[in-house]
Amino acid sequence: MAKNLNITEIKVKSILNKHKKRDPWFLDDYSINPYKGCEFNCIYCYTKGTHYGGTLNQPLSVKINAPQLLKKELSNRAKKGEYGFIAVSSATEPWMPLEKSYQITRKCLEVIRDLKFPIHCLTKSPLILRDLDILLEIDRKAILPEDLKEKDLSGVRITVSFCSLNQKIAKIFDPSVPSVEERLKLVETLVEKGLDVGIAFMPILPFISDKEEELEEMVKVAKELKVKRVYFSPPTLFGKGKVIFFSVLKKHFPELVEKYEKLYVRGIPAKSYTQDFYQKVKRICNGYKVNLIV
Ligand code: SF4
């Protein structure tokens, strides 16, 4: 367990969130978050500006009753045949160091396996490999939602994320996350195990990790690792999250502060930037025949 963390054990009233609409990128209809707050504490994390992140007094909470609750809530959905992908997780890292001792994510996966739901795992952590046994079982047993049965989808989809392939940049913006090298190795291992893996280059940092050569390197790496798909997106910055991001920007890239202020008048970057960005990314992915999800 990481030292000097202010950790609270909490009991929550519900754990399974049903989305109003299926996520078009990751295909999840549901999400669960076994923890509140995140030990990785990435500078660009969107949860910092929302109620999903931890608070000053309670930066990190363990939802100790999550597996029991999930069993109850998911059984109800299974009885009605309401199968759908579950995002594990949408607002925290499910395999953060704390999970080594608490094993809340692992216990939730056991419930999901027993009730045969498919999952999408979004992670930056090689600790996911500890749970390969259950992931492979879920992959074999999961029942897909009716309208996705025709598509050739796996019961377990995993996405590993990066903000840059440059370790110096990653160290500034996600300092507590396993290194770029460790995450690339993780992707390689998951692919070797026969799992369905994608890479999320999210968030790509404007004027920092969005240079044509770096984007091309990312696509090339994804191709070499034989992932099924890639995602690209700039960060969303608002509220407290924006303040934290700008303080780091000021320290490490003071010359970019003004450019970011103009770019982020709202929580998302100006349209002119995103249009150019996606044109560039699409062109590169087409060139390498890499499946880009947009
Ligand atoms: S790992 Fe994900 S959830 Fe955790 S701080 Fe980083 S971006 Fe946020």
Side-chain angles (χ1 to χ4, degrees):
M1 193 185 300
K3 288 179 188 144
N4 304 324
L5 281 174
N6 181 0
I7 299 159
T8 318
E9 292 182 2
I10 55 169
K11 285 193 173 176
V12 285
K13 292 201 173 104
S14 72
I15 189 72
L16 184 69
N17 312 301
K18 169 85 172 83
H19 306 328
K20 286 197 184 95
K21 228 170 70 188
R22 175 176 296 151
D23 186 290
W25 277 18
F26 299 114
L27 304 182
D28 43 282
D29 289 306
Y30 301 96
S31 60
I32 58 165
N33 289 291
Y35 299 90
K36 184 167 186 205
C38 182
E39 218 173 330
F40 282 166
N41 213 7
C42 307
I43 303 302
Y44 47 71
C45 183
Y46 84 96
T47 68
K48 288 181 171 24
T50 72
H51 68 279
Y52 298 115
T55 62
L56 210 54
N57 296 334
Q58 258 187 24
L60 199 49
S61 307
V62 185
K63 301 180 183 176
I64 49 164
N65 61 337
Q68 293 77 11
L69 259 185
L70 184 62
K71 188 169 179 183
K72 194 171 147 213
E73 294 174 17
L74 212 51
S75 297
N76 290 337
R77 297 283 174 178
K79 269 183 215 147
K80 294 184 208 155
E82 292 173 354
Y83 292 95
F85 278 90
I86 304 171
V88 183
S89 300
S90 59
T92 185
E93 165 60 61
W95 288 278
M96 66 177 95
L98 204 55
E99 165 64 14
K100 273 187 210 155
S101 49
Y102 274 100
Q103 305 209 9
I104 304 288
T105 299
R106 185 171 171 93
K107 287 175 196 154
C108 287
L109 289 179
E110 286 168 353
V111 171
I112 291 170
R113 172 202 58 202
D114 294 346
L115 291 165
K116 300 189 168 72
F117 274 71
I119 52 172
H120 171 247
C121 308
L122 182 56
T123 187
K124 291 181 166 89
S125 172
L127 185 58
I128 188 176
L129 295 175
R130 181 202 62 188
D131 296 333
L132 258 181
D133 54 341
I134 306 185
L135 293 172
L136 291 167
E137 277 188 83
I138 295 175
D139 200 31
R140 280 199 305 274
K141 293 183 179 169
I143 300 173
L144 297 182
E146 277 307 321
D147 60 326
L148 291 181
K149 276 190 174 152
E150 295 300 303
K151 305 195 176 185
D152 187 24
L153 297 177
S154 305
V156 173
R157 293 158 65 85
I158 300 174
T159 305
V160 181
S161 66
F162 300 81
C163 72
S164 170
L165 290 180
N166 179 333
Q167 181 56 29
K168 279 192 195 152
I169 300 293
K171 204 74 203 144
I172 295 172
F173 290 96
D174 44 34
S176 307
V177 165
S179 70
V180 168
E181 201 182 328
E182 284 171 281
R183 279 177 279 162
L184 290 175
K185 182 72 198 151
L186 170 63
V187 172
E188 190 182 8
T189 308
L190 291 168
V191 172
E192 274 170 15
K193 297 289 174 191
L195 286 158
D196 176 304
V197 187
I199 294 183
F201 293 108
M202 288 165 58
I204 291 292
L205 306 164
F207 320 122
I208 297 171
S209 59
D210 67 347
K211 293 181 192 69
E212 177 103 18
E213 315 81 73
E214 189 167 356
L215 295 176
E216 184 163 351
E217 182 59 22
M218 291 172 186
V219 175
K220 229 165 106 182
V221 164
K223 174 96 182 172
E224 282 163 12
L225 288 170
K226 300 190 178 71
V227 297
K228 294 263 176 78
R229 63 202 155 269
V230 292
Y231 308 85
F232 280 86
S233 165
T236 304
L237 299 173
F238 57 92
K240 194 173 125 210
K242 188 173 179 180
V243 176
I244 295 170
F245 187 90
F246 268 75
S247 69
V248 171
L249 196 66
K250 224 173 254 171
K251 184 169 170 208
H252 295 275
F253 298 93
E255 72 285 5
L256 294 181
V257 171
E258 207 183 318
K259 280 175 110 170
Y260 264 77
E261 273 163 357
K262 285 188 186 140
L263 192 62
Y264 279 92
V265 175
R266 296 185 299 138
I268 50 170
K271 213 171 168 185
S272 54
Y273 174 85
T274 32
Q275 273 172 349
D276 278 4
F277 174 74
Y278 281 113
Q279 259 178 21
K280 203 160 47 175
V281 167
K282 275 182 195 165
R283 179 167 35 78
I284 300 172
C285 286
N286 284 342
Y288 281 89
K289 296 194 170 43
V290 165
N291 179 21
L292 169 69
I293 307 293
V294 274

